Amino acid sequence: RLRSHAWSPDGKRILLQRRLGQQDSLWLLDPGGGPPVTLTQFKSGQIAEFRWARDSKSVVFTYGSEGQDVVLITDFRQE
């Protein structure tokens, strides 16, 4: 599943965020030709944001896991 995409500032390449199962990855596409290039290969977690650098040579991104805790409080009495 394609989650997001962004053209490079110079307009020559496309960065794709792809989710397959529990894995997010970034792919680089050159519309002028050539096969897609995998930039990241994480086993789990999510890529929250990504951006091209102004020079179109680098990509920055935030990555991590989202945790959720549940707490059940019973028989609560205020004294």
Side-chain angles (χ1 to χ4, degrees):
R1 182 176 89 160
L2 181 62
R3 296 187 69 179
S4 188
H5 69 283
W7 282 93
S8 61
D10 63 8
K12 295 180 180 178
R13 295 177 287 173
I14 304 170
L15 186 62
L16 301 174
Q17 180 184 5
R18 181 178 179 219
R19 182 136 183 102
L20 183 59
Q22 297 299 313
Q23 299 175 346
D24 273 1
S25 59
L26 292 176
W27 291 71
L28 185 63
L29 282 134
D30 181 356
V37 176
T38 306
L39 298 180
T40 62
Q41 289 184 310
F42 298 114
K43 301 284 184 209
S44 63
Q46 294 180 316
I47 296 171
E49 297 272 341
F50 64 90
R51 298 279 186 269
W52 282 97
R54 290 183 188 171
D55 64 3
S56 298
K57 295 180 182 180
S58 301
V59 174
V60 294
F61 64 93
T62 56
Y63 169 82
S65 298
E66 187 175 294
Q68 297 178 359
D69 294 324
V70 176
V71 177
L72 174 63
I73 299 173
T74 61
D75 297 324
F76 177 76
R77 287 181 267 157
Q78 186 173 0
E79 294 182 19

